[in-house]
Amino acid sequence: MPRNINYLRLSITDRCNLRCSYCTAWDKWEKLPAGEILRYEELLRLAGVAAGVGIRKVRVTGGEPLVRRGVMEFIQALHQQQGLTEVCLTTNGVLLNDLAPDLYAAGLRHVNVSLDSLERDRYRELTGSDHLLEVLAGLERAAALGFHPLKINCVVLKGINDDELVNFALLARERPYQVRFIEFMPTVSQEQWIPHFLPMEEVRRRLAAALGDGVPVGRNATAGPARIFRYPGFQGELGFISTVSQHHCPTCNRLRLTAAGRLRPCLFAAPELDLKSPLRQGASDEDLGRVFREAIHRKTAQRDAFVPGRAMVSIGG
Ligand code: SAM
């Protein structure tokens, strides 16, 4: 059966208010000139074209999407985009406590919050800033407002935060959060990746030893690669994403659009298709749709070797 490519991750900025040590080599990082970043009207037009080729779900990402001025109006407009059935946001949560009510009013209900430590000193070390309490307050506020699902994405880093696995899991017992553990991907350098990579099977083994086995939960048509489990007595759920150790290629349903307007068929392969040039040179919706179709066509069951040199802050995760 042909894959249904129905999910687009839309990066609206490369700017971020955190400096997570594993995300990129920040000393070499160069931000995009403002004029190179797609304007909101350009992003909305591309979202419309994407809907025309079968995209149903759009996730707004970055950089940190909540630092871009005008993001509320953009999210509201995305909700009005014909053909899209799901609009979600990925954020580091630093501004969530302040912005959750406006995001809710803009129509948003699905938020993923990236959080890799529940310990204040470690969080500060990992992210370069002391915002853990704001992030936790933001999650509480979002839950109280009725955001659902409210997911926490935790990248597991061996020797850095793998002693917090059970604490993260217990957060899903105490709160209605879906806590998802994610394998560390070799985005920048192998030297940094190898010592800190922990396979998801090991994460599951350690959690099973502490909590027992969970009951698997079914998936919907636009669901990502997470395997989700419920545990007795938990308000929330746990999820496991083994992007590196188990290939998801045959079921991968997503495209990625970088803030610079490049369409990426695969997170793990370098080829990107330029959408910004045709967009700014007056291409028709049909022409732009052809670029999306080409990207969909290029998504094959084979995964190319991972090509480093493109950090998550540029792609959007
Ligand atoms: N600022 C937003 C956030 O924090 O969710 C969106 C962008 S951020 C680059 C997206 C996600 O990529 C975060 O969850 C981050 O932890 C994850 N990420 C960055 N580098 C990674 C890596 N090498 N392996 C796995 N996940 C990574």
Side-chain angles (χ1 to χ4, degrees):
M1 203 177 86
R3 261 186 290 172
N4 192 7
I5 309 299
N6 52 17
Y7 175 11
L8 176 67
R9 296 179 67 99
L10 207 56
S11 175
I12 64 167
T13 180
D14 65 336
R15 315 306 200 244
C16 190
N17 48 357
L18 294 183
R19 290 287 177 267
C20 297
S21 54
Y22 62 86
C23 185
T24 191
W26 291 102
D27 52 338
K28 299 196 191 92
W29 181 73
E30 281 178 38
K31 64 182 181 188
L32 286 167
E36 294 303 314
I37 296 176
L38 292 183
R39 295 188 295 273
Y40 282 129
E41 60 269 27
E42 293 174 323
L43 287 162
L44 283 171
R45 180 162 171 221
L46 291 179
V49 172
V53 300
I55 296 295
R56 296 290 167 263
K57 170 176 174 176
V58 168
R59 177 174 299 284
V60 178
T61 179
E64 171 49 40
L66 296 185
V67 301
R68 181 159 177 189
R69 227 176 308 140
V71 64
M72 288 313 154
E73 292 76 8
F74 175 65
I75 287 175
Q76 196 167 24
L78 268 183
H79 277 92
Q80 280 146 21
Q81 182 65 59
Q82 258 196 343
L84 298 183
T85 54
E86 274 182 81
V87 177
C88 350
L89 173 81
T90 289
T91 171
N92 57 35
V94 170
L95 298 173
L96 191 58
N97 196 26
D98 291 338
L99 299 182
D102 290 344
L103 288 168
Y104 196 86
L108 196 75
R109 297 294 179 269
H110 301 182
V111 177
N112 287 9
V113 175
S114 303
L115 180 59
D116 305 322
S117 180
L118 298 169
E119 294 178 16
R120 198 164 165 185
D121 287 346
R122 186 176 287 168
Y123 178 94
R124 196 189 301 118
E125 236 169 82
L126 264 170
T127 65
S129 69
D130 188 19
H131 289 306
L132 175 62
L133 300 183
E134 283 100 312
V135 177
L136 294 174
L139 280 161
E140 296 271 350
R141 187 156 200 204
L145 282 164
F147 280 88
H148 187 82
L150 198 46
K151 301 180 185 173
I152 296 179
N153 287 339
C154 171
V155 176
V156 179
L157 303 158
K158 186 162 86 182
I160 297 182
N161 66 358
D162 60 326
D163 57 344
E164 294 190 56
L165 297 177
V166 174
N167 285 350
F168 267 102
L170 293 180
L171 195 56
R173 185 180 69 185
E174 306 307 324
R175 299 279 187 274
Y177 308 151
Q178 188 184 95
V179 174
R180 293 135 45 101
F181 298 100
I182 300 177
E183 279 178 349
F184 182 32
M185 293 180 252
T187 43
V188 188
S189 81
Q190 294 282 322
E191 298 74 50
Q192 194 192 17
W193 174 67
I194 290 166
H196 299 301
F197 174 69
L198 191 69
M200 205 41 56
E201 271 320 302
E202 173 63 11
V203 173
R204 289 193 61 188
R205 198 192 55 72
R206 290 193 202 175
L207 285 172
L211 306 168
D213 284 320
V215 178
V217 175
R219 307 151 49 83
N220 67 28
T222 52
R227 285 172 298 159
I228 308 296
F229 295 84
R230 286 215 181 93
Y231 292 74
F234 275 48
Q235 293 188 49
E237 298 166 333
L238 297 186
F240 301 91
I241 305 179
S242 36
T243 329
V244 179
S245 63
Q246 279 186 316
H247 301 188
H248 298 297
C249 304
T251 54
C252 178
N253 61 347
R254 55 187 71 181
L255 297 177
R256 294 173 162 84
L257 181 65
T258 71
R262 301 184 69 83
L263 191 59
R264 201 170 167 109
C266 172
L267 179 60
F268 290 98
E272 291 175 345
L273 288 81
D274 181 19
L275 269 168
K276 184 172 58 194
S277 304
L279 182 68
R280 292 189 175 173
Q281 286 158 12
S284 65
D285 283 2
E286 288 70 33
D287 294 336
L288 297 171
R290 266 193 288 279
V291 180
F292 275 96
R293 283 205 186 84
E294 169 66 15
I296 290 170
H297 174 71
R298 286 196 193 182
K299 277 187 83 72
T300 65
Q302 289 281 307
R303 186 169 80 179
D304 297 303
F306 186 85
V307 180
R310 203 71 151 110
M312 288 295 190
V313 70
S314 317
I315 305 175

